Amino acid sequence: MRGMIQQLIENTDQLTIVDMEASVEHMSRGTVRHVDTLLIVLEPYYRSLETASRMIPLADGLGIKRVFAIANKVRDADDQAAVNDYCQKHGIDVIATIPFDMAIAAADRAGVAVVDYDAAAPAVMALRGLAARIKAA
Amino acid sequence: MKIAISGKGGSGKTTISATLARIFAQEGSTVLAIDGDPNPNLGTALGASKAELARLEPLPSSILTEQKSADGTTEMKLSQPIEHVAAEYGVHAPDGITLLLGCRVDHPGAG
């Protein structure tokens, strides 16, 4: 895996998006040598936040230029506060918050991409904002 | 731009990967999407057709070849241009996205 994906990333001129193995522990310096942006998806509950805070120093150690966290499935102000508190305390840079969105499960049930199911779904709109921020960062 | 997306299983990383890919592609980028998850379902999340997904197979290790570098270490390199790899093994997803399925290649000393 490592050699393969590394070579693909290294050789393409296209904008490349890699859906990685679940954990940063599985990544090697080699795999991510040509990755310029790593997004770590976290959820607003303690074990997920803990996992993310363990991943971020590992990711930094891999020498990736930009490492950002994304808070996903955020349901309400309490969720947001939990993420903010934890991330502030642990120095985690959250670049985007994606709201919990029924459209994602509905799209999955329908067997279609969520952008095709509802291009204006709240989660999709939040991801448009994220895309713009990644481009600008 | 080369973006990797990571997160625990069930965190939504595949949906986020796919949706970002579609958004960038709709905004005019030519996007290469690579599924590096051992339990791959990026293609479905991208909205690729069943016919395309049926053609999707892990990249064979034969597209890599061992090359000795100047310092004596060996490195895996692509044995053919990536355009060939994409044309032969890539499948089409909406908005002109090419999807490749990464595969596990175990070889000591790499990475």
Side-chain angles (χ1 to χ4, degrees), chain A residues 1 19 24 36-38 44 50 57-58 69 71 77 84 92 99 113 117 126 137:
Chain A
M1 166 90 75
D19 186 4
V24 174
D36 49 59
T37 308
L38 176 69
E50 253 193 331
L58 290 173
N84 290 351
I92 298 172
Y117 182 83

Side-chain angles (χ1 to χ4, degrees), chain A residues 14-15 113-116 119 128, chain B residues 18-33 45-49 91-99:
Chain A
Q14 299 180 352
L15 193 156
V114 66
V115 285
D116 295 326
R128 287 188 205 285
Chain B
T19 308
L20 278 180
R22 292 286 304 272
I23 290 168
F24 282 125
Q26 285 174 356
E27 288 173 354
S29 295
T30 312
V31 175
L32 175 65
L46 282 167
S49 71
V91 305
H92 301 293
D95 301 321
I97 296 170
T98 302
L99 169 66

Side-chain angles (χ1 to χ4, degrees), chain A residues 40-77:
Chain A
I40 294 177
V41 181
L42 56 81
E43 293 174 82
Y45 63 92
Y46 190 73
R47 268 197 311 154
S48 174
L49 291 164
E50 253 193 331
T51 304
S53 70
R54 214 176 49 240
M55 283 183 178
I56 284 163
L58 290 173
D60 288 337
L62 292 170
I64 302 168
K65 250 191 292 176
R66 309 189 297 175
V67 179
F68 301 120
I70 301 172
N72 195 28
K73 304 184 195 175
V74 174
R75 286 172 187 264
D76 51 28

Side-chain angles (χ1 to χ4, degrees), chain B residues 53-66:
Chain B
L53 289 175
R55 297 199 302 115
L56 187 61
E57 276 182 46
L59 290 165
S61 53
S62 60
I63 66 161
L64 293 180
T65 174
E66 231 174 66

Side-chain angles (χ1 to χ4, degrees), chain A residues 1-12 14-24 27-28 30 33-41 43 45 47-48 51 55 66 70 72-73 98 104 113-116 124 127-128 130-131 134-135, chain B residues 1-17 19-24 26-27 29-38 42 45-47 59-61 63-64 75-78 82 85 100 102-105 107 110-111:
Chain A
M1 166 90 75
R2 352 164 110 170
M4 184 80 77
I5 290 179
Q6 177 198 326
Q7 281 303 304
L8 297 173
I9 299 170
E10 183 177 340
N11 283 285
T12 184
Q14 299 180 352
L15 193 156
T16 306
I17 293 191
V18 191
D19 186 4
M20 299 293 295
E21 286 192 77
S23 174
V24 174
M27 295 181 202
S28 71
R33 193 163 59 185
H34 300 277
V35 167
D36 49 59
T37 308
L38 176 69
L39 304 176
I40 294 177
V41 181
E43 293 174 82
Y45 63 92
R47 268 197 311 154
S48 174
T51 304
M55 283 183 178
R66 309 189 297 175
I70 301 172
N72 195 28
K73 304 184 195 175
I98 316 298
I104 288 174
V114 66
V115 285
D116 295 326
V124 173
L127 286 164
R128 287 188 205 285
L130 170 63
I134 293 171
K135 269 190 185 165
Chain B
M1 198 156 43
K2 314 286 169 75
I3 304 165
I5 297 161
S6 169
K8 280 173 77 134
S11 64
K13 77 184 168 70
T14 298
T15 303
I16 289 176
S17 301
T19 308
L20 278 180
R22 292 286 304 272
I23 290 168
F24 282 125
Q26 285 174 356
E27 288 173 354
S29 295
T30 312
V31 175
L32 175 65
I34 301 172
D35 196 342
D37 195 303
L42 183 58
L46 282 167
L59 290 165
S61 53
I63 66 161
L64 293 180
E75 241 193 308
M76 302 306 285
K77 293 280 180 192
L78 281 187
I82 187 144
V85 174
L100 291 172
C103 88
R104 193 175 290 278
V105 183
H107 44 81

